[in-house]
């Protein structure tokens, strides 16, 4: 008889470490995010049937048009984490300020940052989207956690991961000891281990960037893209960071979202998108920079801090860095 692989909860129980207050906390937190991922996955699959396509009619704090599923996903992830009683502070891409954690703001031991539905403009066309998260241990003690607990570099994260809603639903996480993938078996309603200790694919000539923006890019990025094209690279761009990142992790390549002359800090949010994926990239043997500095060393100066990001195969990220003088 084939042996059933471990599920997410069992695996996370074995992957805790001394940085967690209790050995089961990692499993409880990942399980909460995984549960909300199951719900989001099911809602996405039925979005057309439930009139969940399209805009919620408002823009989020960074000016992006909020989709109906952005709002639903944000509530679902926040509520799942609140029920653990472990989370003292939360911040998401969909909220201007911090999310109210009630009594756990004093007693909870962890801080979670997340983008509930990344790439939400893909929903209406049934293309892949994702959820991204990062987990920190709290810093403050004895009073409600605040921004001081959240505004921290990615190198302080205890765990990070994403859920990819593609042709299958994949949960990926790291707690600082490799990257592990689980696939949602919809019949069992469980995430089962499918890839342990994932390694970033070796060099392959692929770049993922919104090249429509390239006329506004700085010279370094224009020179880089001209170079990779002259070397015969192939372009692949899904328009949802989780999907583009996951594809490159599995098949090789580099994802680039540069700053440009109109938006020097680019589009991506350091806390909700870049720092968690940078942790995953590094744990898989890849790299992530803003062109000159490691993404995980950047200090956010506000919740919605943006940064240029180049992430993927370390050789490709190094090559990119040469064009930026690093
Ligand atoms: P949303 O989470 O607001 O949908 O933003 C998605 C995103 O930040 C990231 O997933 C994509 O890589 C990027 O935007 C795509 O941006 P462009 O449409 O500018 O290429």
């Amino acid at each position: 008889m084939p042996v059933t692989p471990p599920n997410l909860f069992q695996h996370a129980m074995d992957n805790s470490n001394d940085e967690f207050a209790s050995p089961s906390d990692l499993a409880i937190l990942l399980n909460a995010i995984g549960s909300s991922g199951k719900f989001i996955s099911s809602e996405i699959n039925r979005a057309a049937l439930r009139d969940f396509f399209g805009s919620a009619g408002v823009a989020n704090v960074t000016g992006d048009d909020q989709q109906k599923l952005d709002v639903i996903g944000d509530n679902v992830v926040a509520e799942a984490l609140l029920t653990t009683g472990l989370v003292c502070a939360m911040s998401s891409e969909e909220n201007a300020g911090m999310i109210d954690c009630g009594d756990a703001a004093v007693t909870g031991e962890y801080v979670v940052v997340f983008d509930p539905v990344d790439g939400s403009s893909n929903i209406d066309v049934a293309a892949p989207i994702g959820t991204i998260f990062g987990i920190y241990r709290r810093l403050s003690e004895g009073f409600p956690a605040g921004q001081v607990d959240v505004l921290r570099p990615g190198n302080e994260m205890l765990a990070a991961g994403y859920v990819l809603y593609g042709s299958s639903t994949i949960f990926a996480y790291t707690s600082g000891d490799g990257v592990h993938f689980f696939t949602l078996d919809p019949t069992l309603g469980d995430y089962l281990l499918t890839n342990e200790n994932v390694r970033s694919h070796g060099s392959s000539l692929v770049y993922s960037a919104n090249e429509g923006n390239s006329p506004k890019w700085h010279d370094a990025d224009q020179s880089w893209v001209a170079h990779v094209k002259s070397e015969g690279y192939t372009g692949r761009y899904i328009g949802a960071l989780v999907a583009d990142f996951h594809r490159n992790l599995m098949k090789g390549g580099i994802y680039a979202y540069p700053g440009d002359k109109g938006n020097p800090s680019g589009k991506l949010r350091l806390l909700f998108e870049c720092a968690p994926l940078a942790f995953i990239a590094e744990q898989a043997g890849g790299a992530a920079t803003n062109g000159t500095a490691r993404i995980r060393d950047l200090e956010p100066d506000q919740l919605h801090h943006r940064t240029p990001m180049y992430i993927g195969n370390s050789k490709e990220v190094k090559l990119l860095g040469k064009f930026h003088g690093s």
Side-chain angles (χ1 to χ4, degrees), residues 42-53 69 123:
S42 146
E43 295 300 284
I44 290 163
N45 289 340
R46 295 180 297 157
L49 304 171
R50 290 165 57 84
D51 190 27
F52 284 162
F53 278 170
L69 272 164
I123 295 166

Side-chain angles (χ1 to χ4, degrees), residues 64 93 118-120 210 237 240-241 255 257 267-269 273:
D64 300 324
E93 190 186 302
D118 174 69
S120 52
N210 184 343
Y237 193 67
L241 175 59
Y255 175 96
Y257 208 111
K267 177 180 185 191
L268 303 177
R269 294 77 171 174
E273 296 172 301

